[in-house]
Amino acid sequence: MATTTSSETSAAAREECDSFMAGLRKRNPGETEFHQAVEDVTESLMPFLLDNPKYQEARILERLTEPDRIIIFRVSWLDDSGRYRVNRGYRVQCNNAIGPYKGGLRFHPSVNLSILKFLAFEQTLKNSLTTLPMGGGKGGANFNPKGKSDNEVMRFCQSFMTELAKHIGKDIDVPAGDIGVGEREIGYLFGHYVRIAHEFTGAMTGKGIPFGGSLIRKEATGYGCVYFVEEMLNRKGDSIQGKSCLVSGSGNVALYTIEKINHLGGKAVTASDSDGFIYDPEGIQDERLEYLMELKSRHRGRVFEYAEKFGCEYFEGKRPWGVPADAAFPSATQNEINEADAQTLVRNGIMVVAEGANMPSESAAVRVFLDARILYAPGKASNAGGVTVSGLEQTQNSLRLSWTRGEVDTKLQAIMKDIHAKCVKYGEEGDWVNYVQGANLGGFVRVADAMLAYGVV
Ligand code: NDP
Ligand code: 2IT
């Protein structure tokens, strides 16, 4: 048998990867976020694919990056002054080899096909890591809920669901929240679904507790991310106790990340929104965290108001990555850490970076973290807690019963522990774990093996 050296393997892998990416770019022109997500995954998978030719022969990567279908639709609605408004709605159904499509809806002016395709692709691998029966999808609209009245948001959601309802269902595709889609939006969307589908089924998750929602779902992404970090640190004989933590964002993921950091004895010192960040060296805890939660969830306020209230610093137009700390939890949006930010974090001695957001680190930033061999968890592993509890919400809906907070939290912790173990299994390199490699391989193999079993589909 011919033997190849590792440099020959990596040269061959590079060549395969470049040729695959050239084709993908040509088939999907201008979709930069989609290219980025696929390239990051392809680079880490390619040596494994070359060692296991059955996946290449069956063109698994080509098939995984060609969504099963994409639905694009017009969403017309009337604003409070009676004017006609038009937005574009989407649902990307990426892959259902291991379960019904599952993934959130994002309402943000930046939403486009590239962003939703990257999110649906990542979701497919993430959902596989959870071990639950969930395929991958993502949707949303270029609608900006900011500054809209509740009635405007309701009219938009109802119009959006009028079309989306034709394409979802508890065994078909089960949407949930993401940026700009929280409790209020899910209520309007699901309420309209129940009305027009003429049946009450768990066709969405993240629902309110009175109508089939799961306890711990709203906390799940943030809590899960911190549980994941605790696993990473425990493996090194350390813990989050006493660690100073940078958190970006101040939405669903960020707020419950901060809460769980506090529960485990760490100290979260930053939070942000798209206007800037606050730095509170005392720690965002107790009545300070309560204030921030109230400010963001009920009053839809801005983080600078926190700085005014508690007399701490506010940095307009800046991100928190220049503040020296032990751990970072990017929890706002994609590409919020660039190469220079990553270098600053490493220079300041960051021990662990865990992504609450999807793809918050640019590819060059990821390379900085990997080269520095810090503990770096990519979003598809560390933020999988949200979709995990969504999966548990689906189970409770099918069983027609509700588990207690304790029951759901215990299952969430067990699944985050299991995802961590899977990353270690596939990503261990000497005494360091390449969590990127671990998460990509761990997520890929299950979906790929299902696709192999299905034959030509
Ligand atoms: P929210 O809408 O609740 O909060 C989003 C936060 O990020 C806000 O503070 C927002 O600030 C900030 N933000 C959004 N877009 C930008 C931008 N372009 N630039 C700077 N800041 C921005 O969303 P979530 O907390 O639910 O989602 C945050 C991230 O976590 C996303 O990447 C999402 O995909 C990911 N995620 C979410 C899960 C969930 O269950 N919700 C599960 C797994 C991942 P502002 O108010 O100024 O817009
Ligand atoms: O990115 C994500 O995992 C989510 N927005 C949650 C998806 C879900 O179906 O709960």
Side-chain angles (χ1 to χ4, degrees):
M1 217 169 80
T3 53
T4 50
T5 65
S6 64
S7 67
E8 276 166 344
T9 309
S10 62
R14 182 72 262 160
E15 203 173 305
E16 263 311 289
C17 185
D18 287 348
S19 127
F20 172 75
M21 285 308 302
L24 184 112
R25 286 199 179 87
K26 200 165 165 200
R27 293 191 295 280
N28 304 277
E31 296 181 353
T32 51
E33 293 86 358
F34 183 53
H35 302 164
Q36 179 185 340
V38 174
E39 186 159 34
D40 287 355
V41 170
T42 306
E43 271 176 3
S44 74
L45 286 181
M46 197 52 84
F48 171 82
L49 297 179
L50 292 179
D51 283 346
N52 295 275
K54 62 182 177 182
Y55 298 115
Q56 290 291 75
E57 280 155 20
R59 295 253 171 138
I60 298 293
L61 213 47
E62 278 86 347
R63 288 199 269 155
L64 256 183
T65 51
E66 200 59 61
D68 289 355
R69 72 191 59 74
I70 297 174
I71 300 127
I72 303 184
F73 48 98
R74 185 182 66 245
V75 187
S76 305
W77 56 284
L78 289 179
D79 68 18
D80 285 345
S81 60
R83 276 198 310 146
Y84 283 78
R85 305 289 286 260
V86 185
N87 288 94
R88 188 173 297 167
Y90 305 83
R91 187 71 182 166
V92 177
Q93 296 180 333
C94 185
N95 187 290
N96 67 352
I98 59 170
Y101 305 106
K102 182 84 198 84
L105 297 172
R106 178 177 290 191
F107 291 169
H108 192 271
S110 64
V111 162
N112 60 32
L113 202 49
S114 170
I115 289 178
L116 295 179
K117 279 168 73 177
F118 115 63
L119 287 164
F121 174 70
E122 287 283 292
Q123 195 83 47
T124 302
L125 299 175
K126 180 196 308 189
N127 293 1
S128 164
L129 280 171
T130 68
T131 66
L132 300 175
M134 302 183 292
K138 201 87 187 189
N142 62 346
F143 170 75
N144 187 359
K146 249 182 246 162
K148 304 283 191 302
S149 70
D150 287 352
N151 278 331
E152 289 178 321
V153 170
M154 181 181 72
R155 285 194 292 274
F156 176 82
C157 287
Q158 293 185 338
S159 181
F160 181 87
M161 184 51 84
T162 300
E163 180 60 33
L164 187 71
K166 300 172 193 163
H167 310 285
I168 64 172
K170 73 175 173 47
D171 297 317
I172 303 168
D173 183 354
V174 184
D178 193 78
I179 291 176
V181 178
E183 218 170 318
R184 174 182 61 170
E185 291 75 16
I186 298 278
Y188 294 146
L189 289 162
F190 186 67
H192 200 60
Y193 176 80
V194 168
R195 207 171 146 205
I196 58 186
H198 194 51
E199 63 172 16
F200 188 104
T201 57
M204 290 193 76
T205 62
K207 300 186 290 298
I209 303 302
F211 49 96
S214 174
L215 293 166
I216 305 280
R217 172 61 189 90
K218 77 171 188 284
E219 295 91 342
T221 312
Y223 280 18
C225 195
V226 181
Y227 292 148
F228 195 90
V229 165
E230 194 69 343
E231 284 298 310
M232 293 166 102
L233 288 168
N234 285 349
R235 196 180 158 274
K236 308 287 290 177
D238 202 345
S239 81
I240 210 158
Q241 172 82 38
K243 301 271 184 304
S244 60
C245 303
L246 307 178
V247 177
S248 67
S250 50
N252 173 267
V253 178
L255 291 171
Y256 291 101
T257 295
I258 295 172
E259 184 170 271
K260 188 50 75 178
I261 289 170
N262 293 339
H263 287 168
L264 298 184
K267 185 156 91 167
V269 293
T270 66
S272 71
D273 56 31
S274 49
D275 297 328
F277 81 92
I278 51 124
Y279 172 44
D280 185 352
E282 310 258 311
I284 305 169
Q285 48 206 345
D286 305 325
E287 99 274 18
R288 292 177 179 228
L289 178 58
E290 263 170 49
Y291 172 85
L292 188 62
M293 286 194 168
E294 188 75 9
L295 175 73
K296 298 307 288 194
S297 57
R298 218 176 297 283
H299 307 299
R300 302 183 191 277
R302 312 302 298 162
V303 289
F304 78 82
E305 297 173 59
Y306 176 103
E308 282 176 358
K309 168 116 178 131
F310 297 109
C312 67
E313 283 181 284
Y314 173 65
F315 297 86
E316 190 165 352
K318 297 257 181 335
R319 291 166 177 162
W321 316 126
V323 177
D326 302 310
F329 295 82
S331 308
T333 193
Q334 65 274 357
N335 293 330
E336 53 168 318
I337 299 182
N338 63 26
E339 186 175 18
D341 296 327
Q343 284 161 344
T344 304
L345 284 164
V346 169
R347 199 176 327 111
N348 286 340
I350 203 85
M351 294 169 65
V352 46
V353 176
E355 297 182 340
N358 286 304
M359 204 169 76
S361 310
E362 291 182 3
S363 305
V366 174
R367 273 192 290 276
V368 171
F369 296 142
L370 295 182
D371 288 346
R373 293 169 91 82
I374 62 160
L375 297 173
Y376 164 66
K380 65 172 73 68
S382 47
N383 75 32
V387 78
T388 293
V389 175
S390 276
L392 300 177
E393 182 173 330
Q394 290 177 268
T395 308
Q396 292 169 78
N397 292 166
S398 295
L399 294 171
R400 293 173 186 270
L401 53 76
S402 303
W403 293 327
T404 63
R405 266 183 88 83
E407 281 172 303
V408 180
D409 200 20
T410 302
K411 290 185 203 307
L412 169 64
Q413 287 186 50
I415 292 180
M416 294 314 294
K417 211 179 167 84
D418 187 65
I419 296 174
H420 180 267
K422 211 169 288 161
C423 290
V424 173
K425 174 180 164 198
Y426 286 104
E428 205 163 17
E429 294 177 10
D431 63 355
W432 175 66
V433 177
N434 181 338
Y435 286 91
V436 173
Q437 173 82 0
N440 286 335
L441 258 180
F444 173 82
V445 169
R446 179 174 169 216
V447 182
D449 286 348
M451 290 171 76
L452 284 183
Y454 292 172
V456 185
V457 290

